[in-house]
Amino acid sequence: MKTIFEKTNGVDGVCIGETEGIKLEGVIPKELLREGSIGLPQLSELEVLRHYKELSDRNFCIEKGFYPLGSCTMKYNPKVNELLASLEGFANLHPLQDDEDCQGALELMYNLQEKLKYITGMDAVTLQPAAGAHGELTGMMIIKKYFEVKGETNRTKVIIPDSAHGTNPASAKMCGFEIVEVKSNERGQVDIEELKTLLDENVAAIMMTNPNTLGIFEEKVLEISKLMHDNGSLLYYDGANFNAIMGWTNPALMGFDVVHLNLHKTFATPHGGGGPGAGPVGVVEKLKDFLPSPTVEFDGNKYYRNYNISHSIGKVRSFYGNFGVLVRAYAYILMMGDNLKLASADAVLNANYIKEKLKGFYELPYDEPCMHEFVLSGEKQHQEGVSTIGIAKRLMDDNIHPPTVYFPLIVHEAIMIEPTESESKEVLDNFINVMLKIAEEIKENPDEVLKSPQKTPVKKVDETQAARHPNLTFKGL
Ligand SMILES: *Cc1c(COP(=O)(O)O)cnc(C)c1O
């Protein structure tokens, strides 16, 4: 596909008015004035539209096909949320406006905080962090400051299971903690006996996600939280997998002290490609005074931003977070109501359905009932000549977005599948059939599978070259 510069045909698409006769001498220093043409592409409005439409058509998105991206909950996000987030009063409001001028926006934020408190069981929530990983960092900063204020600066270690998402150790490390890994047992859960041996007076916290990244519920979570609390340590809950548990249980019931949610995964807002997200953080009562400032409060009469938080870790983001994402999440939660519980139930059912249909054909290293996702291993197919990346690429030729691959790290040739609640049985069955067909193709003619993708706008790329030397700039005609 040609770039828009190459398509230039000299047509003036936009008339910016008369510039002749406007004297810039004396206004802008001469050496700063451009001499030649600005070099913008010149095309008609229709040609520009066609160009960008063609570009966007080359992209894959949930509106185009099944997107079983494990760990990332790529669910359908109702379009009414987009409409609501773009309402003028929300979209054009300036974040520096006085509290009196933005009561509606503050009310929405306050109400969303309340809903998230209810859903997580936590006692206070900040909406500031802009992503899950940012929420983790915020949570770890809160934990760090909590121990500082308590005078327990010896607590420098954070325990993290070997199945954890990479952002967990990264966030704890960025906060200056030392990472201690705890192994998973043969059932894909935290090895509690090993955990006991790691506990001492220097442990600040454990970071866990439940269900964990294998899609397995940590059955010993209450025992773990007791162990941690008895040790004077705290528990951090990575809420990226919240789509599995909404309304059925919550991190407070499991004994966690700090939680982040990924609004862009669980509560609407399409994500990926670095688009805006939100990673609100909830905390138990004793950590309330450590939240980033300001929090959004209600005095019974009006909503206001509270900058007066005794041990606040300070600001973690400009203004108050990604407000548009908050509007979408609030609309989604109001619309779903009690059905959030049903969404989790369907997400779990769909994952188990696919798992049971595929497990005879692909290895299933942890053969347990799963929650909203599960992890296969492509080890058998790897031995037959096509590794997991080849399976992922092959799926694209059937208009299916590749699942998350090679994660979690404890599974060889991992294929992590999360169907979400959005899909019909027909879509799930089609995916199952395609996966079975691929397993068959690999047995019969692995070399043919390795030629995929062939039907996508961009065919097979050199992965290493693309990662190490990305070509992102148009260098000129
Ligand atoms: C996605 C994810 C994160 C990080 O969230 P971002 O919003 O991508 O920063 C953390 N933990 C788990 C388990 C995740 O799936």
Side-chain angles (χ1 to χ4, degrees):
M1 184 182 163
K2 280 186 179 168
T3 65
I4 195 159
F5 293 95
E6 290 159 306
K7 286 181 183 171
T8 286
N9 58 15
V11 173
D12 271 334
V14 179
C15 175
I16 50 171
E18 197 55 64
T19 53
E20 271 187 30
I22 298 177
K23 293 253 181 309
L24 293 175
E25 281 117 76
V27 181
I28 296 172
K30 201 160 173 239
E31 65 273 20
L32 297 180
L33 284 175
R34 185 178 0 92
E35 276 160 6
S37 138
I38 191 170
L40 289 176
Q42 285 185 298
L43 295 145
S44 72
E45 182 173 320
L46 177 59
E47 286 161 332
V48 172
L49 277 173
R50 285 194 180 137
H51 174 76
Y52 285 107
K53 179 75 175 82
E54 190 188 344
L55 258 187
S56 77
D57 284 349
R58 290 158 70 96
N59 222 342
F60 191 88
C61 53
I62 189 88
E63 288 82 357
K64 260 185 162 174
F66 187 41
Y67 214 128
L69 197 64
S71 207
C72 288
T73 312
M74 194 62 87
K75 62 167 77 175
Y76 172 63
N77 295 294
K79 293 301 165 238
V80 66
N81 296 336
E82 301 302 316
L83 179 77
L84 296 171
S86 66
L87 287 177
E88 204 190 332
F90 290 141
N92 294 344
L93 188 63
H94 197 282
L96 284 179
Q97 237 154 325
D98 288 340
D99 287 350
E100 297 86 84
D101 299 337
C102 51
Q103 283 295 299
L106 291 176
E107 180 179 355
L108 183 143
M109 292 171 83
Y110 179 83
N111 288 349
L112 178 59
Q113 285 173 186
E114 292 298 302
K115 300 266 179 243
L116 298 181
K117 272 160 67 176
Y118 180 76
I119 292 169
T120 58
M122 292 288 123
D123 296 313
V125 165
T126 172
L127 303 173
Q128 249 184 60
H134 196 195
E136 292 169 25
L137 181 67
T138 305
M140 296 321 284
M141 286 166 76
I142 290 172
I143 290 173
K144 189 155 194 218
K145 187 134 188 208
Y146 169 75
F147 284 120
E148 261 167 37
V149 169
K150 249 181 132 212
E152 296 181 29
T153 45
N154 56 303
R155 295 201 181 264
T156 52
K157 295 196 281 192
V158 169
I159 300 178
I160 303 181
D162 57 4
S163 62
H165 195 262
T167 50
N168 290 185
S171 304
K173 184 81 191 171
M174 269 187 83
C175 237
F177 285 112
E178 182 194 331
I179 315 301
V180 182
E181 186 178 271
V182 59
K183 296 255 172 318
S184 304
N185 63 21
E186 67 294 342
R187 291 187 61 209
Q189 301 181 28
V190 168
D191 185 333
I192 201 154
E193 293 312 316
E194 201 204 23
L195 176 64
K196 286 179 189 161
T197 68
L198 302 175
L199 290 177
D200 60 31
E201 73 284 359
N202 299 325
V203 174
I206 187 168
M207 289 181 95
M208 287 175 72
T209 178
N210 196 19
N212 61 31
T213 63
L214 293 164
I216 295 171
F217 195 84
E218 298 277 356
E219 292 165 1
K220 296 259 168 75
V221 66
L222 290 178
E223 208 177 312
I224 293 173
S225 82
K226 181 160 187 333
L227 276 175
M228 298 308 294
H229 286 146
D230 286 350
N231 191 55
S233 314
L234 296 175
L235 290 93
Y236 182 94
Y237 183 90
D238 174 341
N241 290 339
F242 221 87
N243 214 44
I245 64 161
M246 288 186 292
W248 295 91
T249 179
N250 69 44
L253 291 171
M254 298 180 214
F256 286 89
D257 304 287
V258 190
V259 181
H260 88 256
L261 295 172
N262 299 57
L263 296 189
H264 47 289
K265 291 180 184 173
T266 316
F267 300 100
T269 294
H271 61 96
V281 170
V283 294
V284 293
E285 189 67 33
K286 68 179 173 197
L287 299 175
K288 217 170 158 172
D289 295 336
F290 295 85
L291 286 177
S293 87
T295 50
V296 178
E297 317 267 356
F298 183 53
D299 66 8
N301 184 26
K302 61 177 175 39
Y303 299 90
Y304 64 102
R305 282 162 278 198
N306 179 16
Y307 291 86
N308 194 9
I309 306 163
S310 53
H311 299 300
S312 175
I313 57 164
K315 256 185 163 321
V316 294
R317 194 185 180 278
S318 55
F319 304 121
Y320 321 103
N322 281 324
F323 183 68
V325 179
L326 307 181
V327 178
R328 290 178 180 89
Y330 185 57
Y332 181 75
I333 291 170
L334 286 186
M335 218 168 15
M336 294 292 280
D338 286 346
N339 284 336
L340 283 175
K341 200 171 168 182
L342 199 57
S344 282
D346 284 348
V348 171
L349 179 64
N350 287 353
N352 278 285
Y353 178 68
I354 300 179
K355 170 173 69 69
E356 288 305 308
K357 293 280 187 181
L358 292 184
K359 78 178 189 189
F361 302 88
Y362 293 85
E363 280 176 24
L364 178 65
Y366 299 96
D367 192 356
E368 299 273 333
C370 69
M371 296 295 286
H372 65 308
E373 64 190 5
F374 64 97
V375 181
L376 295 173
S377 165
E379 191 58 51
K380 194 166 106 197
Q381 284 72 22
H382 178 58
Q383 278 160 23
E384 290 166 351
V386 179
S387 54
T388 288
I389 188 82
I391 298 169
K393 299 275 182 194
R394 171 66 188 81
L395 279 166
M396 294 161 82
D397 276 340
D398 271 280
N399 196 40
I400 293 169
H401 192 283
T404 297
V405 291
Y406 299 106
F407 174 76
L409 305 177
I410 54 174
V411 173
H412 281 212
E413 298 290 320
I415 309 174
M416 185 186 214
I417 296 165
E418 178 182 2
T420 81
E421 70 278 15
S422 312
E423 306 292 349
S424 66
K425 182 164 179 294
E426 286 68 32
V427 171
L428 305 183
D429 283 336
N430 178 58
F431 174 67
I432 291 161
N433 288 336
V434 172
M435 285 294 284
L436 298 185
K437 185 175 73 181
I438 295 173
E440 201 53 39
E441 285 171 2
I442 292 172
K443 266 192 214 141
E444 276 161 20
N445 193 352
D447 289 341
E448 195 55 33
V449 176
L450 288 173
K451 288 184 189 153
S452 281
Q454 303 188 48
K455 296 183 190 161
T456 48
V458 176
K459 307 285 180 298
K460 208 168 174 66
V461 293
D462 180 336
E463 299 278 328
T464 319
Q465 183 78 2
R468 302 244 166 95
H469 306 284
N471 177 7
L472 304 173
T473 334
F474 181 62
K475 298 268 167 45
L477 294 168

Coordinates of all heavy atoms in Angstrom, one line a residue, residues 289-348:
D289 N -5.2 6.7 53.6 CA -4.5 8.0 53.7 C -3.2 8.0 52.9 O -2.5 9.0 53.0 CB -4.2 8.3 55.2 CG -5.4 8.5 56.0 OD1 -6.5 8.8 55.4 OD2 -5.4 8.3 57.2
F290 N -3.0 7.0 52.1 CA -1.8 6.9 51.3 C -2.1 7.1 49.8 O -1.2 7.1 49.0 CB -1.1 5.6 51.5 CG -0.5 5.4 52.9 CD1 -1.4 5.0 53.9 CD2 0.8 5.8 53.3 CE1 -0.9 4.8 55.2 CE2 1.2 5.7 54.6 CZ 0.4 5.2 55.6
L291 N -3.4 7.2 49.5 CA -3.8 7.3 48.1 C -3.2 8.5 47.4 O -2.9 9.5 48.1 CB -5.3 7.3 48.0 CG -6.1 6.0 48.3 CD1 -7.6 6.2 48.2 CD2 -5.6 4.9 47.3
P292 N -3.1 8.4 46.1 CA -2.6 9.6 45.3 C -3.6 10.8 45.5 O -4.8 10.5 45.7 CB -2.6 9.2 43.9 CG -2.8 7.7 43.9 CD -3.3 7.3 45.2
S293 N -3.1 12.0 45.5 CA -4.1 13.1 45.6 C -4.3 13.7 44.2 O -3.4 13.6 43.4 CB -3.5 14.2 46.6 OG -2.6 15.0 45.9
P294 N -5.5 14.3 43.9 CA -6.6 14.4 44.9 C -7.5 13.1 44.7 O -7.4 12.5 43.7 CB -7.3 15.6 44.4 CG -7.1 15.6 42.9 CD -5.7 15.0 42.7
T295 N -8.2 12.9 45.8 CA -9.3 11.9 45.6 C -10.6 12.7 45.4 O -10.6 13.9 45.6 CB -9.5 11.1 46.9 OG1 -9.6 12.0 48.0 CG2 -8.3 10.1 47.1
V296 N -11.6 12.0 44.8 CA -12.9 12.7 44.6 C -13.8 12.4 45.7 O -14.1 11.2 46.0 CB -13.4 12.3 43.2 CG1 -14.8 13.0 43.0 CG2 -12.4 12.7 42.1
E297 N -14.3 13.4 46.4 CA -15.2 13.2 47.6 C -16.5 13.9 47.4 O -16.7 14.7 46.6 CB -14.5 13.7 48.8 CG -13.0 13.4 48.9 CD -12.7 12.2 49.7 OE1 -13.6 11.6 50.2 OE2 -11.5 11.8 49.8
F298 N -17.4 13.5 48.3 CA -18.8 14.1 48.4 C -19.1 14.6 49.8 O -18.9 13.7 50.7 CB -19.8 13.1 47.9 CG -21.2 13.6 47.8 CD1 -21.5 14.8 47.1 CD2 -22.2 12.9 48.4 CE1 -22.8 15.2 47.0 CE2 -23.5 13.4 48.4 CZ -23.8 14.5 47.7
D299 N -19.4 15.8 50.0 CA -19.7 16.3 51.4 C -21.2 16.3 51.8 O -21.6 16.9 52.7 CB -19.0 17.6 51.7 CG -19.7 18.7 50.8 OD1 -20.7 18.5 50.2 OD2 -19.2 19.9 50.8
G300 N -22.0 15.6 51.0 CA -23.4 15.5 51.2 C -24.1 16.6 50.4 O -25.4 16.5 50.3
N301 N -23.4 17.5 49.9 CA -24.0 18.6 49.2 C -23.3 18.8 47.8 O -24.0 18.9 46.8 CB -23.8 19.9 50.0 CG -24.4 21.1 49.5 OD1 -25.4 21.0 48.7 ND2 -23.9 22.3 49.8
K302 N -22.0 18.8 47.8 CA -21.3 18.9 46.5 C -20.1 18.0 46.4 O -19.6 17.5 47.5 CB -20.9 20.3 46.2 CG -19.9 20.9 47.2 CD -19.5 22.3 46.8 CE -18.7 23.1 47.8 NZ -17.7 22.3 48.5
Y303 N -19.7 17.7 45.2 CA -18.5 16.9 44.9 C -17.3 17.8 44.9 O -17.3 18.9 44.4 CB -18.7 16.1 43.6 CG -19.9 15.2 43.7 CD1 -21.2 15.7 43.3 CD2 -19.8 13.9 44.2 CE1 -22.3 14.9 43.4 CE2 -21.0 13.1 44.3 CZ -22.2 13.6 43.9 OH -23.3 12.8 44.0
Y304 N -16.2 17.3 45.4 CA -15.0 18.1 45.3 C -13.7 17.2 45.3 O -13.7 16.0 45.6 CB -14.9 19.0 46.6 CG -14.8 18.3 47.9 CD1 -13.6 18.2 48.6 CD2 -15.9 17.7 48.5 CE1 -13.5 17.5 49.8 CE2 -15.8 17.0 49.7 CZ -14.6 16.9 50.3 OH -14.5 16.2 51.5
R305 N -12.6 17.9 44.8 CA -11.3 17.2 44.8 C -10.6 17.5 46.1 O -10.4 18.6 46.5 CB -10.5 17.7 43.6 CG -11.0 17.1 42.3 CD -10.5 17.9 41.1 NE -11.3 19.1 40.8 CZ -11.3 19.7 39.7 NH1 -10.6 19.3 38.7 NH2 -12.1 20.7 39.5
N306 N -10.2 16.4 46.8 CA -9.6 16.5 48.1 C -8.1 16.3 47.9 O -7.6 15.3 47.6 CB -10.2 15.4 49.0 CG -9.5 15.5 50.4 OD1 -8.9 16.5 50.7 ND2 -9.7 14.4 51.1
Y307 N -7.4 17.4 48.2 CA -5.9 17.4 48.1 C -5.3 17.2 49.5 O -4.1 17.1 49.7 CB -5.4 18.7 47.6 CG -5.7 18.9 46.1 CD1 -6.9 19.5 45.7 CD2 -4.8 18.5 45.1 CE1 -7.2 19.6 44.4 CE2 -5.1 18.7 43.8 CZ -6.3 19.2 43.4 OH -6.6 19.4 42.1
N308 N -6.1 17.0 50.5 CA -5.7 17.0 51.9 C -5.6 15.6 52.4 O -6.5 15.1 53.2 CB -6.6 17.9 52.7 CG -6.0 18.2 54.1 OD1 -4.8 17.9 54.3 ND2 -6.8 18.7 54.9
I309 N -4.7 14.8 51.9 CA -4.6 13.4 52.3 C -3.3 13.2 53.0 O -2.2 13.4 52.5 CB -4.6 12.5 51.0 CG1 -5.9 12.8 50.2 CG2 -4.7 11.0 51.4 CD1 -5.9 12.4 48.8
S310 N -3.4 12.8 54.3 CA -2.2 12.9 55.2 C -0.9 12.3 54.7 O 0.1 12.9 54.7 CB -2.6 12.4 56.6 OG -3.1 11.1 56.5
H311 N -1.0 11.0 54.2 CA 0.3 10.4 53.8 C 0.3 10.1 52.3 O 1.0 9.2 51.9 CB 0.4 9.0 54.6 CG 0.5 9.2 56.1 ND1 1.5 9.9 56.7 CD2 -0.3 8.7 57.0 CE1 1.3 9.9 58.0 NE2 0.2 9.2 58.2
S312 N -0.4 10.9 51.6 CA -0.5 10.7 50.1 C 0.8 10.4 49.5 O 1.8 11.1 49.8 CB -1.2 11.8 49.5 OG -1.2 11.7 48.1
I313 N 0.9 9.5 48.6 CA 2.1 9.2 47.8 C 2.3 10.3 46.8 O 3.3 10.4 46.0 CB 2.1 7.9 47.1 CG1 0.9 7.7 46.2 CG2 2.2 6.7 48.1 CD1 1.0 6.6 45.2
G314 N 1.4 11.3 46.6 CA 1.5 12.4 45.7 C 0.7 12.0 44.4 O -0.1 11.1 44.4
K315 N 0.9 12.8 43.4 CA 0.2 12.5 42.1 C 0.9 11.4 41.4 O 2.1 11.3 41.4 CB 0.2 13.8 41.3 CG -1.1 14.5 41.3 CD -1.0 15.7 40.4 CE -2.4 16.3 40.0 NZ -3.4 15.3 39.8
V316 N 0.2 10.6 40.7 CA 0.8 9.6 39.8 C 0.5 9.9 38.3 O 1.1 9.2 37.4 CB 0.4 8.1 40.1 CG1 0.9 7.8 41.5 CG2 -1.1 7.9 40.1
R317 N -0.3 10.8 38.1 CA -0.6 11.2 36.7 C -1.1 12.6 36.6 O -1.7 13.1 37.6 CB -1.7 10.2 36.1 CG -1.8 10.3 34.6 CD -2.9 9.5 34.0 NE -2.9 9.6 32.6 CZ -3.4 10.7 31.9 NH1 -4.0 11.6 32.6 NH2 -3.4 10.7 30.6
S318 N -0.9 13.2 35.5 CA -1.5 14.6 35.3 C -3.0 14.5 35.5 O -3.6 13.6 35.1 CB -1.1 15.1 33.9 OG -1.6 14.2 32.9
F319 N -3.5 15.6 36.1 CA -4.9 15.7 36.3 C -5.5 14.4 37.0 O -4.9 14.0 38.0 CB -5.7 16.0 35.0 CG -5.1 17.3 34.4 CD1 -4.6 17.3 33.1 CD2 -5.1 18.5 35.1 CE1 -4.0 18.4 32.5 CE2 -4.6 19.6 34.5 CZ -4.0 19.6 33.2
Y320 N -6.6 13.8 36.4 CA -7.3 12.8 37.2 C -7.4 11.5 36.5 O -8.3 10.7 36.8 CB -8.7 13.4 37.6 CG -8.6 14.9 37.9 CD1 -8.9 15.8 37.0 CD2 -8.0 15.2 39.1 CE1 -8.7 17.2 37.3 CE2 -7.7 16.6 39.4 CZ -8.1 17.5 38.5 OH -7.9 18.8 38.8
G321 N -6.5 11.2 35.6 CA -6.5 9.9 34.9 C -7.2 10.1 33.5 O -7.4 11.2 33.1
N322 N -7.4 9.0 32.9 CA -8.0 9.0 31.5 C -9.5 9.1 31.7 O -10.2 8.0 31.7 CB -7.6 7.8 30.7 CG -6.2 8.0 30.1 OD1 -5.8 9.1 29.8 ND2 -5.4 6.9 30.1
F323 N -10.1 10.3 31.7 CA -11.5 10.5 32.1 C -12.4 9.7 31.1 O -13.4 9.1 31.6 CB -11.8 12.0 32.1 CG -13.2 12.2 32.5 CD1 -13.6 12.0 33.8 CD2 -14.1 12.8 31.6 CE1 -14.9 12.2 34.2 CE2 -15.4 13.0 32.0 CZ -15.8 12.7 33.3
G324 N -12.1 9.7 29.8 CA -13.0 9.1 28.9 C -13.2 7.6 29.2 O -14.3 7.0 29.0
V325 N -12.1 7.0 29.6 CA -12.2 5.5 30.0 C -13.1 5.3 31.2 O -13.8 4.4 31.3 CB -10.7 5.0 30.2 CG1 -10.8 3.5 30.6 CG2 -9.9 5.2 29.0
L326 N -13.0 6.3 32.1 CA -13.9 6.2 33.3 C -15.3 6.3 32.9 O -16.2 5.6 33.5 CB -13.5 7.3 34.3 CG -12.0 7.4 34.7 CD1 -11.8 8.6 35.7 CD2 -11.5 6.1 35.2
V327 N -15.7 7.2 32.0 CA -17.1 7.3 31.5 C -17.5 6.0 31.0 O -18.6 5.5 31.3 CB -17.2 8.5 30.5 CG1 -18.7 8.6 30.0 CG2 -16.8 9.8 31.1
R328 N -16.7 5.4 30.1 CA -17.1 4.1 29.5 C -17.4 3.1 30.6 O -18.3 2.3 30.5 CB -16.0 3.7 28.5 CG -15.9 4.5 27.3 CD -14.7 4.0 26.4 NE -14.6 4.7 25.2 CZ -13.8 5.8 25.1 NH1 -13.1 6.2 26.1 NH2 -13.6 6.4 23.9
A329 N -16.4 3.0 31.5 CA -16.6 1.9 32.5 C -17.8 2.2 33.4 O -18.5 1.2 33.7 CB -15.3 1.9 33.4
Y330 N -18.1 3.4 33.7 CA -19.3 3.7 34.5 C -20.5 3.3 33.8 O -21.4 2.7 34.3 CB -19.3 5.2 34.9 CG -20.4 5.6 35.8 CD1 -20.5 5.0 37.1 CD2 -21.3 6.6 35.5 CE1 -21.6 5.3 37.9 CE2 -22.3 6.9 36.3 CZ -22.5 6.3 37.5 OH -23.5 6.6 38.4
A331 N -20.6 3.7 32.5 CA -21.8 3.4 31.7 C -21.9 1.9 31.6 O -23.0 1.3 31.7 CB -21.6 4.0 30.3
Y332 N -20.8 1.2 31.4 CA -20.9 -0.3 31.2 C -21.4 -0.9 32.5 O -22.2 -1.8 32.5 CB -19.4 -0.8 30.9 CG -19.3 -2.3 30.7 CD1 -19.8 -2.9 29.6 CD2 -18.7 -3.1 31.7 CE1 -19.7 -4.2 29.4 CE2 -18.6 -4.4 31.6 CZ -19.1 -5.0 30.4 OH -18.9 -6.4 30.2
I333 N -20.9 -0.5 33.7 CA -21.3 -1.1 35.0 C -22.8 -0.8 35.2 O -23.5 -1.7 35.6 CB -20.4 -0.5 36.1 CG1 -19.0 -1.1 36.0 CG2 -21.0 -0.9 37.5 CD1 -18.0 -0.4 36.9
L334 N -23.2 0.4 34.9 CA -24.6 0.7 35.1 C -25.5 -0.1 34.2 O -26.6 -0.6 34.6 CB -24.9 2.2 34.8 CG -24.5 3.2 35.8 CD1 -25.0 4.6 35.4 CD2 -24.9 2.9 37.2
M335 N -25.1 -0.3 33.0 CA -25.8 -1.0 32.0 C -25.9 -2.5 32.4 O -27.0 -3.1 32.3 CB -25.2 -0.9 30.6 CG -26.1 -0.8 29.5 SD -25.3 -0.3 28.0 CE -23.6 -0.6 28.2
M336 N -24.8 -3.0 32.9 CA -24.8 -4.5 33.2 C -25.5 -4.8 34.5 O -26.1 -5.8 34.7 CB -23.3 -4.9 33.3 CG -22.6 -4.9 32.0 SD -23.2 -6.1 30.8 CE -22.4 -7.6 31.4
G337 N -25.3 -3.9 35.5 CA -25.9 -4.2 36.8 C -25.5 -5.5 37.3 O -24.4 -6.0 37.3
D338 N -26.5 -6.3 37.9 CA -26.3 -7.6 38.4 C -25.8 -8.6 37.3 O -25.2 -9.6 37.7 CB -27.6 -8.2 39.0 CG -27.9 -7.5 40.3 OD1 -27.0 -6.8 40.9 OD2 -29.1 -7.7 40.7
N339 N -26.0 -8.2 36.1 CA -25.5 -9.1 35.0 C -24.0 -9.2 34.9 O -23.5 -10.0 34.1 CB -26.1 -8.7 33.7 CG -27.6 -9.2 33.6 OD1 -28.0 -10.1 34.3 ND2 -28.4 -8.5 32.8
L340 N -23.3 -8.3 35.6 CA -21.8 -8.5 35.6 C -21.5 -9.9 36.1 O -20.5 -10.5 35.6 CB -21.2 -7.5 36.6 CG -21.0 -6.0 36.1 CD1 -20.5 -5.2 37.2 CD2 -20.2 -5.9 34.9
K341 N -22.3 -10.4 37.0 CA -22.1 -11.7 37.5 C -22.3 -12.8 36.4 O -21.5 -13.7 36.3 CB -23.1 -12.0 38.6 CG -22.8 -13.1 39.6 CD -23.7 -13.1 40.8 CE -23.4 -14.4 41.5 NZ -24.2 -14.6 42.6
L342 N -23.3 -12.5 35.6 CA -23.6 -13.4 34.5 C -22.4 -13.4 33.4 O -22.1 -14.4 32.8 CB -24.9 -13.0 33.8 CG -25.6 -14.0 33.0 CD1 -25.9 -15.3 33.8 CD2 -26.9 -13.4 32.4
A343 N -21.9 -12.2 33.2 CA -20.8 -12.0 32.3 C -19.6 -12.9 32.7 O -19.0 -13.7 31.9 CB -20.3 -10.6 32.2
S344 N -19.3 -12.9 34.0 CA -18.2 -13.7 34.5 C -18.5 -15.2 34.3 O -17.7 -16.0 33.9 CB -17.9 -13.4 35.9 OG -17.1 -12.3 36.1
A345 N -19.7 -15.6 34.6 CA -20.2 -17.0 34.5 C -20.0 -17.4 33.1 O -19.5 -18.5 32.8 CB -21.6 -17.1 35.0
D346 N -20.4 -16.6 32.1 CA -20.4 -17.0 30.7 C -18.9 -17.1 30.2 O -18.5 -17.9 29.4 CB -21.1 -16.0 29.8 CG -22.6 -16.2 29.9 OD1 -23.0 -17.3 30.5 OD2 -23.4 -15.4 29.5
A347 N -18.1 -16.1 30.7 CA -16.7 -16.1 30.3 C -16.0 -17.4 30.8 O -15.2 -18.0 30.1 CB -16.0 -14.9 31.0
V348 N -16.4 -17.8 32.0 CA -15.8 -19.1 32.6 C -16.3 -20.3 31.8 O -15.5 -21.2 31.4 CB -16.1 -19.2 34.1 CG1 -15.7 -20.5 34.6 CG2 -15.4 -18.0 34.8

